[in-house]
Amino acid sequence: MALWSFVCDISPELFNGYSEEFPHNLRCFLGDWLEKYPWEFITGSDTFNTYMADSLLSAMMEKLQELANKNCQPSLILQLTANLENAYRRDPLQLARTVKQILEAERVVVQNKFQCLPLSFHRQQEELKFGFDLKRLQYKLQEIQALCGNLENGSRASLQINTVDPQFSTQGEQQVNALRALFSEAAKDLETTKTRLLKRLDIWKRQQQLAGNGTPFDEDLAPLQKRFESLMDVCFKLRQQLVALSAQLGPDLLSCLQECLENVFNTLIKSAFLVDKQPPQVLKTQTKFQATVCFLLGSQLFKVPQTAFSVCANIVTEKQARELAAGCPDASLSESTGEIVNNLAPLEISATSGACCAVFKNMLLKKIKRSDRKSTESVTEEKCAILFSARISLGSNNTTFLLQALTLPIVVIVHGNQDNNAKATILWDNAFATKDRIPFVVTERVPWGSMCETLNQKFMAEVQTSKGLLQEHYFFLAQKIFNNNNASYKDFQNRCVSWSQFNKEILPNRGFTFWQWFEGILDLTKKYLKDYWSDRLIMGFVSKDYVSSRLGNAPAGTFLLRFSDSLIGGISIAYVIRLPNGSCQVENIQPFTAANLSVRSLADCVRDLEEIQILYPNRPKKEAFRNYFNEELPRKTNKEYIPTQIRITVGTSSDPAPQEQNLHNSVSNLNMSPGIPTDLYPGLPPPPEINWMSQGNTLPLDSVDSHLLLQESEMDICLPDLNCHGVMDYHMALDPLIKDSARPIFSFSSHYFGTSCFSGKSDPVMDKRKKSKGGEKDATDSKEEEET
């Protein structure tokens, strides 16, 4: 976004710098066009700065002429153009100074009003600066070429008159001195511009790493490739001129210039080889993965037809990566760390994009050799990387270069249960790695504010929402990770959080770490709660005390949704009830988990519960959730079945809770199949008992074979394979140890329509009953079915 878009909303009286020759209406006509050129970098009065100022003045005249042809006020624009031409054509540097003053004044006003400048402004300024430096290099190269031509013409003239003219001699010495000075300046500017290019490359790599945590990232390498190619072109031409003028420059200067140009040349070649598409940073053995490396100078340096070069991929440990960073490129592969299958790919130039890339489509890490770790470290804290290597030959003498590029840190796992902790290691490394660090050292403690930014970005990226965390969320998260409910929000801002607090220390009275709990909420929200969160229907990360303070004076039936504090991946409903004595009390319904929400959506659960009516602070639930209610399925014409549906109710605290339940297996679940081992679902309760109850004129079911209950549907709910009359009720008992569930419990009445959830097989008992009734339902049955 251009700075002009902010300036348009600010009164022009706040700016200074406008003059009679450059009035405010002229500034408005030019708009953001003015910001696309390097006015602010024209600071000198030498020939290059004069040339740039004159070029920008001509460009401005063309722009105004174009606007006059399209605008409804052509006479005004043409008059402004004429005034501009008369005022500045003789002194274009004065125009540059005027525009620079105007832009600086605008920047100060915008910064004072908004407390910061847009990121796009800083990016544009960096691009303008590089472009300006590159133009200055190209301008000096042209001057060197012109002086070289003058020296050659002078030498030929001296030979033609066959005499030594003092005038030719003096001019020749002056030109040689000027040439030496120009070469020295050009070499210095080339080094400066190369440094600026590498800095931009480091920014791109850092943004690529932050993108692993969900930060927006422009991964297009075309602008960087253009910079590399432009600078390499200048370097080539300077080397050619250096060879041609070696006799005039002298041995000392020649040696110095050669060393400088050779250093720039080698640095550009090695830096242009990088990882474009990173492999997964949590990498499971025996699983295929992809990656892409690019050589940004390939299309410029490789001969046509291209010589075949290939890139090899090898996995390296942290120790080997350090050896590589220390300048020992071959020592890093002295010992085998693991085996990657399909680790060779050709380095080819794309006919469409012009990019030179090696694409690895089917790599597979067959095995990994673990390195020695500290006693406190786990395998999911061990970081490694993939090293891409290629040897290429360039030039007529086939000079060989070793190109190497290292991926971002990778954590290798062998089982899915290591995934959560491995993600924590990668999240911490991506967020808090520093430039030029020793691989892969990262700080053990970071400011809490930085941790909040990381969690917020990760949450928004995973859930794919534009609604991030709020201040009250950060406050609750700080209370949880620091185990302190007495500190203020400001107190937490001055504290640092450690890696151990993040994902090594078990939270008090819990069986999991902070990250394991947070990641569970991420997964639940991403799969089932994204739209509710984006519409701010979920309050989310808040404590029970915070909820009580908000709902304390609210009418009975007022409710809000908060993430469970004691359960991984749960969301609970807190609501206000009125006690017999007239006072109000806040209750918390047993949390809904992924198993629950995969069967019935959150909105439908809210609709089922008659105890809750108003979403805090004052939105009727039917209005707040109406876009998310699922319509009831149409009734089937098949009269062999009675239509059914699922309904959720809240129980009472007087219902007995099974004694065998404890803190780690008291999560609500619609129905977990008895045939599934409970150790596959840590933290979930044993399956509830199913009571088959008759309703209306329907008859009770006959006994059910136990083996029929072992079948499991895709919705993670076990229903017997038989024809059903009536209502299926089954209750989920409450574990009184769970703090999220003060007294209410779930009572799920399951009513499935037609044969969608049943097998549709014939049941001889039901067939017998149909025959006895003539296969028809009476009027009472039909009426009760409609009411249901």
Side-chain angles (χ1 to χ4, degrees):
M1 184 181 295
L3 202 63
W4 176 247
S5 59
F6 295 90
V7 174
C8 291
D9 299 330
I10 302 175
S11 174
E13 287 75 16
L14 296 176
F15 304 108
N16 55 48
Y18 298 118
S19 62
E20 294 182 1
E21 296 81 10
F22 205 103
H24 181 256
N25 55 356
L26 175 60
R27 173 70 183 97
C28 293
F29 281 128
L30 292 172
D32 60 357
W33 178 90
L34 211 61
E35 301 175 43
K36 297 178 181 178
Y37 294 90
W39 303 94
E40 297 173 85
F41 305 114
I42 302 176
T43 56
S45 57
D46 55 19
T47 56
F48 171 69
N49 282 281
T50 303
Y51 160 77
M52 285 296 297
D54 188 69
S55 299
L56 291 179
L57 174 58
S58 299
M60 186 180 291
M61 296 296 106
E62 294 178 7
K63 178 64 178 178
L64 290 172
Q65 185 64 50
E66 178 187 338
L67 291 173
N69 296 334
K70 298 179 180 179
N71 200 278
C72 60
Q73 298 176 301
S75 57
L76 174 60
I77 296 178
L78 290 175
Q79 182 61 47
L80 292 171
T81 304
N83 294 341
L84 207 63
E85 177 81 19
N86 295 331
Y88 295 116
R89 180 56 71 182
R90 292 183 179 180
D91 187 9
L93 288 172
Q94 180 58 38
L95 172 64
R97 287 189 287 267
T98 301
V99 174
K100 178 181 179 181
Q101 185 177 355
I102 292 171
L103 293 177
E104 286 180 346
E106 291 176 351
R107 185 166 67 246
V108 169
V109 172
V110 170
Q111 190 164 14
N112 289 339
K113 181 173 182 179
F114 299 101
Q115 305 304 316
C116 66
L117 294 172
L119 185 62
S120 58
F121 169 79
H122 297 288
R123 175 70 181 272
Q124 187 180 52
Q125 288 296 102
E126 189 273 333
E127 291 177 352
L128 289 174
K129 179 59 177 171
F130 180 85
F132 186 80
D133 291 345
L134 182 62
K135 280 187 176 295
R136 178 160 47 197
L137 263 174
Q138 293 168 339
Y139 185 84
K140 288 183 177 179
L141 179 60
Q142 292 175 355
E143 288 187 308
I144 289 173
Q145 291 171 337
L147 276 174
C148 181
N150 291 340
L151 284 172
E152 290 178 356
N153 292 334
S155 298
R156 283 195 296 267
S158 297
L159 291 174
Q160 287 174 0
I161 62 176
N162 197 23
T163 182
V164 179
D165 190 334
Q167 181 180 356
F168 281 116
S169 178
T170 304
Q171 289 179 352
E173 289 180 5
Q174 291 175 347
Q175 289 176 347
V176 167
N177 291 334
L179 187 64
R180 291 175 177 174
L182 267 176
F183 248 119
S184 298
E185 291 175 7
K188 183 179 179 180
D189 289 346
L190 180 65
E191 183 69 32
T192 302
T193 310
K194 179 209 73 175
T195 302
R196 191 176 299 279
L197 173 57
L198 296 182
K199 182 179 180 181
R200 181 72 194 95
L201 179 63
D202 287 339
I203 292 173
W204 186 91
K205 290 181 177 180
R206 178 60 182 150
Q207 290 174 338
Q208 185 188 51
Q209 184 172 22
L210 290 174
N213 288 354
T215 303
F217 171 51
D218 182 9
E219 58 185 357
D220 184 15
L221 278 170
L224 268 175
Q225 178 172 330
K226 185 177 180 181
R227 290 193 187 192
F228 268 94
E229 291 175 345
S230 300
L231 203 56
M232 180 60 81
D233 182 63
V234 173
C235 186
F236 260 135
K237 292 178 179 177
L238 282 174
R239 292 177 74 186
Q240 291 173 349
Q241 292 296 323
L242 194 64
V243 173
L245 300 172
S246 57
Q248 286 86 352
L249 296 176
D252 293 339
L253 180 60
L254 180 64
S255 175
C256 181
L257 292 175
Q258 285 176 335
E259 182 181 355
C260 176
L261 294 180
E262 196 68 21
N263 175 63
V264 172
F265 182 78
N266 293 337
T267 303
L268 289 178
I269 287 180
K270 293 180 179 180
S271 301
F273 190 67
L274 50 86
V275 183
D276 180 17
K277 307 294 184 185
Q278 294 281 341
Q281 288 189 266
V282 176
L283 188 58
K284 190 174 182 292
T285 55
Q286 303 300 326
T287 303
K288 289 184 178 181
F289 63 97
Q290 300 180 352
T292 303
V293 292
C294 282
F295 183 43
L296 300 181
L297 291 171
S299 57
Q300 185 182 33
L301 299 181
F302 290 162
K303 297 177 182 179
V304 180
Q306 177 189 347
T307 306
F309 300 116
S310 60
V311 182
C312 179
N314 291 284
I315 193 160
V316 295
T317 63
E318 186 171 323
K319 175 178 175 292
Q320 291 170 323
R322 292 180 183 181
E323 293 173 352
L324 185 69
C328 304
D330 296 324
S332 59
L333 299 178
S334 58
E335 57 179 308
S336 175
T337 304
E339 180 182 351
I340 297 179
V341 180
N342 300 324
N343 67 331
L344 286 176
L347 191 59
E348 300 174 320
I349 299 176
S350 170
T352 55
S353 65
C356 181
C357 298
V359 181
F360 296 83
K361 296 181 179 179
N362 294 297
M363 284 194 291
L364 181 143
L365 182 59
K366 191 172 182 180
K367 60 182 180 180
I368 183 71
K369 178 182 177 182
R370 299 291 185 183
S371 60
D372 295 333
R373 298 181 304 275
K374 299 177 183 178
S375 58
T376 58
E377 289 182 343
S378 65
V379 293
T380 55
E381 294 178 83
E382 179 184 340
K383 289 174 277 191
C384 55
I386 295 176
L387 176 66
F388 295 100
S389 306
R391 289 190 181 273
I392 63 172
S393 300
L394 300 175
S396 56
N397 56 354
N398 288 328
T399 305
T400 301
F401 293 87
L402 174 62
L403 305 181
Q404 292 183 320
L406 205 62
T407 66
L408 294 173
I410 289 172
V411 174
V412 177
I413 62 174
V414 296
H415 195 281
N417 60 13
Q418 298 172 318
D419 184 73
N420 182 281
N421 292 329
K423 285 180 179 178
T425 300
I426 293 301
L427 181 77
W428 189 278
D429 191 275
N430 285 345
F432 308 120
T434 56
K435 182 179 176 294
D436 298 330
R437 63 170 174 172
I438 300 173
F440 298 106
V441 176
V442 65
T443 180
E444 285 287 326
R445 302 181 65 83
V446 296
W448 171 243
S450 300
M451 187 78 256
C452 289
E453 294 176 9
T454 299
L455 293 175
N456 180 52
Q457 194 59 64
K458 184 67 175 178
F459 187 91
M460 293 174 65
E462 286 289 323
V463 179
Q464 295 184 347
T465 177
S466 60
K467 301 299 175 63
L469 305 183
L470 305 175
Q471 179 172 316
E472 55 264 32
H473 300 148
Y474 294 138
F475 185 46
F476 169 67
L477 293 174
Q479 289 177 321
K480 192 171 186 67
I481 200 169
F482 292 116
N483 189 29
N484 187 341
N485 296 329
N486 299 320
S488 65
Y489 178 81
K490 186 176 181 181
D491 293 335
F492 288 128
Q493 296 306 300
N494 299 323
R495 298 185 64 173
C496 287
V497 61
S498 68
W499 162 248
S500 294
Q501 290 171 315
F502 180 67
N503 194 47
K504 287 182 76 71
E505 299 174 4
I506 301 298
L507 294 173
N509 302 319
R510 302 288 183 257
F512 43 79
T513 66
F514 175 86
W515 165 252
Q516 290 169 347
W517 168 79
F518 186 85
E519 205 266 342
I521 292 175
L522 271 185
D523 190 63
L524 180 75
T525 309
K526 174 174 62 176
K527 292 179 179 177
Y528 302 104
L529 307 175
K530 171 186 173 181
D531 294 332
Y532 305 104
W533 173 272
S534 297
D535 284 349
R536 293 299 189 196
L537 301 177
I538 298 174
M539 186 164 286
F541 297 100
V542 289
S543 65
K544 282 189 175 181
D545 291 340
Y546 183 88
V547 169
S548 297
S549 67
R550 293 286 178 149
L551 296 180
N553 298 321
T558 304
F559 71 99
L560 56 80
L561 298 155
R562 59 177 288 269
F563 295 127
S564 172
D565 180 39
S566 59
L567 181 70
I568 294 180
I571 184 168
S572 178
I573 299 176
Y575 69 104
V576 180
I577 64 171
R578 187 171 298 280
L579 300 177
N581 61 6
S583 63
C584 290
Q585 180 174 308
V586 177
E587 295 284 10
N588 293 275
I589 294 178
Q590 187 174 340
F592 296 87
T593 64
N596 308 141
L597 299 179
S598 66
V599 176
R600 191 150 178 80
S601 72
L602 179 65
D604 291 339
C605 292
V606 169
R607 178 171 57 181
D608 290 343
L609 299 174
E610 296 297 331
E611 294 82 359
I612 59 176
Q613 294 298 326
I614 302 173
L615 179 65
Y616 180 85
N618 54 11
R619 293 181 66 184
K621 73 175 183 181
K622 291 184 179 180
E623 174 193 325
F625 291 89
R626 62 184 175 187
N627 294 332
Y628 305 107
F629 292 141
N630 292 315
E631 297 295 331
E632 292 187 357
L633 296 174
R635 298 190 174 187
K636 302 285 184 178
T637 57
N638 190 338
K639 296 183 179 180
E640 293 183 3
Y641 301 101
I642 296 177
T644 58
Q645 69 180 40
I646 297 177
R647 185 178 65 241
I648 295 178
T649 59
V650 175
T652 63
S653 59
S654 59
D655 294 339
Q659 295 181 357
E660 64 271 16
Q661 286 185 328
N662 55 44
L663 181 63
H664 299 292
N665 64 6
S666 55
V667 183
S668 67
N669 189 8
L670 290 181
N671 189 4
M672 184 62 66
S673 170
I676 300 177
T678 57
D679 58 350
L680 294 181
Y681 297 88
L684 293 183
E689 296 181 358
I690 299 179
N691 299 318
W692 298 90
M693 302 172 61
S694 62
Q695 183 182 31
N697 293 340
T698 59
L699 298 175
L701 294 175
D702 293 324
S703 60
V704 180
D705 292 338
S706 60
H707 75 274
L708 295 176
L709 297 179
L710 299 181
Q711 302 180 13
E712 181 187 16
S713 75
E714 294 181 355
M715 298 172 64
D716 198 21
I717 180 169
C718 174
L719 294 174
D721 188 10
L722 45 78
N723 295 313
C724 172
H725 277 253
V727 180
M728 178 176 64
D729 288 341
Y730 47 99
H731 298 270
M732 188 67 65
L734 169 72
D735 184 348
L737 295 179
I738 288 190
K739 296 182 179 180
D740 270 47
S741 311
R743 296 201 302 180
I745 63 172
F746 285 113
S747 173
F748 297 98
S749 301
S750 300
H751 311 262
Y752 278 88
F753 286 98
T755 61
S756 60
C757 291
F758 296 92
S759 67
K761 297 179 181 178
S762 177
D763 182 6
V765 176
M766 300 303 298
D767 291 342
K768 181 178 179 182
R769 289 174 182 167
K770 289 178 186 177
K771 291 179 181 178
S772 65
K773 297 182 67 176
E776 298 289 339
K777 291 181 289 185
D778 58 20
T780 306
D781 289 334
S782 301
K783 183 177 180 181
E784 288 183 359
E785 176 181 337
E786 291 178 1
E787 291 176 351
T788 303

